[in-house]
Amino acid sequence: NALYMIAGAWSGHIGTSFSSLEIMSWLFLNEIRDLEAGPECCDIFFSSKGHDAPALYSVLLGLGLLPEARLHELRRLGGLPGHPHVETPFVQANTGSLGMGISKAKGMALANRLRNTPRRIFVLTGDGELQEGQFWESLSSAAHLGLGEITVIVDHNKIQSDTWVHAVNDLGDVEAKLRAFGWHVTRCDGHDVGALQRTLRALDTVTDRPRVIVADTVKGRGVSFMEGPSALADGPLYLFHSGAPPEGQYMAGLTQLLDDANRRFRSLGLGEVRTETRLRNPRREPRDTQNLVAAYSRALVAQARKTPTLMALDADLIKDCGLLEFQAEFPDRFVECGIAEQDMVSMAAGMARRGVVPAVHSFACFLSTRPNEQIYNQCSEDTKVLYVGSLAGLLPGGPGHSHQSVRDISALAAVPNLVLAEPATEREVELLVEALLHGQPESGYLRLVSVKWPVPFPAPSADSLEVGKGWVVRPGTDVVVFGYGPWLLSNAWHAAEELASTSQLQIGLVNLPWLNRVDTEWLRSAIGSARTVVALDNHYVSGGQGQMIGAAIAGLGLDPAVEVIQHGVDRLPECGTNDEVLHAHGLGVPGLTRVFAGAASRRAVRQ
C-alpha cells in the first residue's frame, strides 16, 4: 500500500517508509495503548523525520484508523499530506526542519504531567537527522527531568537523502554518545519484530529516565533493488529516497512484495493476498519547460571556472540543488555539510572572512529560517556569500506546507547587506548568478522554483540585470501587474491574454526579479499612466514583494494616486497536485483572470 500510494501520487519517500514499517506496525499493533479511545486518549506516537508518512498512513489504514478511500489520496487536496499534519487523525505532530521531535515529546510529557494524564510517548527519528543540532540540544534536559515516558527509536538505515550517513558525517559510537547525555540506550534489529518485542519489554523496567532504541534497518527494505546496500552498489547516490518509481520498477517491486506476502500468508493458512487495480492518476508533462535548477547548475560551474576562490556548500540535497556537476569538476571546492544548516552557514561565514566566495545551498524553507540568525550575523560582517534556496514558493504542492517556502522573503528581506532575487527563465538564472556574485557588493539570496514550467514569453534580451530594475513581459496600460518567477509570471501572462481576447483589456505585465530592492525611478516609468497596480506574490502576502512595491509606490506620491492590489498566499498552503494547489489559492490562470478583471473594474469605477 505504501508503494501504491507513492506511485499514485507521483512522489513520496519510499526508502525511509520501507525501513520503518516493521517498527510502526509493531508499535500500533502491540505497544500503543487505548487506540480505540482515539488520538486524544491513547499513547502518543509521531515521526520526527516525517518522510515516512506513507508508512504511517499504511499502518493507520490497515488498522481502520483512517477511511479506506484515503489510500488513493496521498498528496491530494483534502487528502493525506506529503508530510505529517495534525489535521490527519492519529498524527500527533507536524514535521518541518529535522531535529524537533524530542523537544516536542518533552513538551508533551510535561503537559501530560501537569494535567495528570500520563501517556507513553514514542518518537521515531532518522539517523541523518542526528546531524541536526537541536537533536543533541534536546537530550540533556530530558534526562535531567527524568522523562521516562519518552522512548525514542532511531531508524538507523545508514543512508540519508542521497548517500551513506558515514560518508557525510560519521555518527561514530552513537550508543556511547547517547548514554553520555543520561539516556538509557539499547539496540536491536528494526526489522525483527521478535527483537523489537524483547527490547521494548526490557525497557518496561526503566522508568526513571528517557529511553532510546537504535534500530538497525535497511533503507528500501523489502524490494531488493531499493535496499540500501544493493542500491548504492552501482553508484554514489541512493535513488529511492524521494520520487515515484517508473512503471517497470513499480511492477518489479510490487511482484517482490506480493511474492513475499503470499509466502507468509500461505504459511499461516490465510490463502492469497487480495489486491485491487486502479488507473494511475494522470500526470501532465509539458514538453518545452524552463528548468531553473539545471540552469543554475550550469551557471555555477561556469562561475567556478573563472573564480578559483568559489566554493559550494550543501545541506544533504546535492541532487535537488543541482550540485552534482560542480562536485564532479571541483571536488576539492565542494563541502557536504549534511543536515546541519546553521553549521553550514557559519562555516560559509568563516570562509568569506578568509577570502573565499561560498555558495550555500538547501531548500528555501530550511535555508531561510533555521540558520536565519547565522545569515544575519554573516551579513553584519560585511562579507559576501551567495545563498541559493531551491524548492521555493508554493509549488510543488505535494510535499505539504513544511516544504512550501512561502515565508522566506519576509524572513530575509530585512537582513542588511543581503539582496534577494528570483529568476523566471534559464537565461535570467545566468544573469542573476553573475549579478549576485560580481555585479554588486552585498551577499545574495537566489530563490529558485524547482518545478519545470513552460514559459510563454522570451527571456530578457539584456546582457545584465541592474539591482532594483525589472523588464516588461507584456505591454498594457489598463492595469499593470508586477510579479516574478516562472509559473507566477506565466499564469499572469495567460490571464492577461485571456482578458485581451474576451474584453479588450490591456493588462501590462512586469517582471521584477529583485524581491527586496526596487529602483523608484524605474518603478515610476514601469507604472506609466496606469493608476491600478496588481502586485503578485509566490509567497505570503504579508512580507512579500508586493508590500515592498506598495510602499515604494506610496512614496512616489503620484497624482492621481495609484491603487495597489496585493495577491498571493493568504493562509497555510494547501497540499495537493500543482493544479489543485494553484486553484485553491487563486493563483492559477482562472484565479488571476478574476483578480485582473476585478482590478480593471475598480479602475473603471474610480474613473
Side-chain angles (χ1 to χ4, degrees):
N1 283 344
L3 178 65
Y4 164 83
M5 294 165 75
I6 292 169
W10 293 95
S11 64
H13 296 84
I14 295 176
T16 188
S17 292
F18 282 13
S19 68
S20 60
L21 264 166
E22 284 89 354
I23 297 169
M24 290 193 195
S25 298
W26 183 264
L27 290 176
F28 275 89
L29 283 167
N30 300 287
E31 297 297 326
I32 298 177
R33 299 173 299 195
D34 301 323
L35 268 175
E36 67 283 354
E40 296 303 315
C41 301
C42 66
D43 286 340
I44 295 167
F45 167 84
F46 64 92
S47 172
S48 180
K49 54 193 173 101
H51 294 137
D52 48 17
L56 176 60
Y57 299 149
S58 295
V59 171
L60 296 175
L61 285 160
L63 290 172
L65 299 174
L66 288 177
E68 184 178 334
R70 291 290 183 93
L71 178 64
H72 317 295
E73 297 174 358
L74 179 65
R75 300 190 170 209
R76 297 301 299 268
L77 194 69
L80 297 173
H83 288 76
H85 194 283
V86 293
E87 291 180 353
T88 306
F90 292 94
V91 171
Q92 302 281 5
N94 292 353
T95 58
S97 293
L98 295 175
M100 298 182 185
I102 296 176
S103 300
K104 288 192 175 188
K106 291 190 297 184
M108 293 177 181
L110 294 172
N112 288 341
R113 289 183 177 188
L114 180 66
R115 299 175 62 216
N116 196 29
T117 54
R119 297 284 183 272
R120 295 186 300 170
I121 303 171
F122 298 91
V123 182
L124 188 64
T125 78
D127 47 6
E129 184 174 5
L130 272 57
Q131 293 163 4
E132 279 285 13
Q134 185 177 354
F135 175 87
W136 300 99
E137 186 177 349
S138 68
L139 296 176
S140 292
S141 64
H144 177 74
L145 294 167
L147 300 180
E149 56 264 63
I150 295 176
T151 301
V152 172
I153 304 174
V154 179
D155 180 8
H156 192 22
N157 61 41
K158 303 166 188 66
I159 297 174
Q160 46 195 99
S161 294
D162 300 320
T163 190
W164 296 106
V165 172
H166 70 76
V168 176
N169 192 349
D170 197 337
L171 291 174
D173 190 344
V174 67
E175 294 172 74
K177 290 179 180 179
L178 295 168
R179 287 193 185 98
F181 283 89
W183 285 56
H184 180 87
V185 184
T186 187
R187 193 163 192 156
C188 74
D189 181 343
H191 298 300
D192 183 342
V193 293
L196 286 169
Q197 180 185 34
R198 291 189 296 273
T199 300
L200 286 161
R201 292 292 68 78
L203 292 183
D204 288 341
T205 60
V206 180
T207 59
D208 61 337
R209 50 188 161 150
R211 299 86 57 88
V212 58
I213 302 170
V214 179
D216 288 301
T217 59
V218 175
K219 198 159 186 174
R221 173 72 172 224
V223 176
S224 60
F225 57 85
M226 294 183 184
E227 292 184 347
S230 59
L232 272 167
D234 298 328
L237 298 178
Y238 181 76
L239 302 180
F240 300 98
H241 173 71
S242 62
E247 292 295 335
Q249 288 184 342
Y250 174 75
M251 292 307 300
L254 179 64
T255 298
Q256 288 190 29
L257 293 171
L258 283 175
D259 286 349
D260 183 55
N262 280 322
R263 183 169 57 254
R264 294 168 186 262
F265 266 47
R266 285 191 294 270
S267 71
L268 296 169
L270 297 175
E272 296 285 313
V273 175
R274 182 172 62 85
T275 63
E276 297 178 1
T277 302
R278 288 171 65 102
L279 289 176
R280 198 178 198 181
N281 296 324
R283 187 182 193 187
R284 185 175 62 183
E285 286 285 4
R287 293 181 181 177
D288 186 15
T289 58
Q290 297 289 300
N291 186 336
L292 303 191
V293 173
Y296 172 72
S297 177
R298 296 189 297 269
L300 186 66
V301 169
Q303 291 292 334
R305 288 171 182 160
K306 66 180 184 180
T307 310
T309 56
L310 178 64
M311 293 188 69
L313 292 79
D314 173 58
D316 191 41
L317 292 166
I318 186 171
K319 287 189 298 184
D320 298 281
C321 291
L323 297 173
L324 291 172
E325 289 78 8
F326 186 99
Q327 183 197 38
E329 186 164 340
F330 306 103
D332 294 337
R333 292 157 62 184
F334 175 81
V335 183
E336 179 53 74
C337 302
I339 307 168
E341 298 89 353
Q342 293 171 324
D343 178 59
M344 175 177 63
V345 168
S346 291
M347 194 186 309
M351 290 177 176
R353 286 283 297 159
R354 303 304 299 169
V356 164
V357 181
V360 176
H361 305 80
S362 187
F363 284 161
C365 53
F366 305 140
L367 183 59
S368 62
T369 51
R370 174 145 286 195
N372 188 273
E373 171 61 21
Q374 286 75 17
I375 293 174
Y376 181 80
N377 181 275
Q378 175 269 312
C379 289
S380 76
E381 294 179 337
D382 201 24
T383 54
K384 190 178 189 67
V385 174
L386 174 61
Y387 299 100
V388 184
S390 56
L391 206 76
L394 192 61
L395 302 184
H401 67 83
S402 64
H403 285 58
Q404 291 163 296
S405 186
V406 291
R407 59 193 174 105
D408 53 326
I409 300 175
S410 60
L412 293 173
V415 175
N417 305 318
L418 182 66
V419 180
L420 282 55
E422 178 174 330
T425 67
E426 294 181 10
R427 172 60 177 156
E428 203 173 16
V429 171
E430 181 183 350
L431 295 175
L432 284 173
V433 170
E434 175 71 26
L436 291 173
L437 283 175
H438 304 295
Q440 52 85 39
E442 299 172 287
S443 290
Y445 173 70
L446 186 67
R447 190 177 195 251
L448 290 179
V449 169
S450 292
V451 294
K452 302 173 187 177
W453 205 265
V455 174
F457 49 83
S461 57
D463 292 329
S464 63
L465 295 175
E466 295 183 54
V467 175
K469 297 181 181 180
W471 50 283
V472 176
V473 173
R474 185 184 188 281
T477 57
D478 290 329
V479 175
V480 173
V481 178
F482 289 87
Y484 52 87
W487 66 258
L488 187 62
L489 286 172
S490 295
N491 288 350
W493 189 89
H494 287 297
E497 290 290 301
E498 172 72 16
L499 288 173
S501 65
T502 58
S503 56
Q504 287 72 55
L505 285 172
Q506 293 303 315
I507 306 296
L509 181 59
V510 178
N511 174 22
L512 180 60
W514 309 100
L515 303 175
N516 67 334
R517 299 284 193 276
V518 60
D519 183 288
T520 53
E521 289 308 309
W522 170 86
L523 181 63
R524 186 193 303 270
S525 173
I527 295 169
S529 61
R531 285 300 173 264
T532 302
V533 164
V534 177
L536 300 177
D537 263 303
N538 177 19
H539 185 274
Y540 285 127
V541 171
S542 178
Q545 186 198 68
Q547 288 193 343
M548 175 192 71
I549 291 174
I553 291 174
L556 288 173
L558 298 174
D559 186 20
V562 172
E563 180 182 20
V564 179
I565 299 167
Q566 297 174 34
H567 184 68
V569 182
D570 59 3
R571 64 183 188 278
L572 198 68
E574 298 288 349
C575 175
T577 67
N578 291 343
D579 288 341
E580 288 174 340
V581 170
L582 289 176
H583 176 75
H585 289 280
L587 288 167
V589 175
L592 293 180
T593 301
R594 290 191 294 272
V595 170
F596 298 168
S601 65
R602 291 171 62 167
R603 161 187 166 273
V605 169
R606 291 173 67 215
Q607 289 179 338

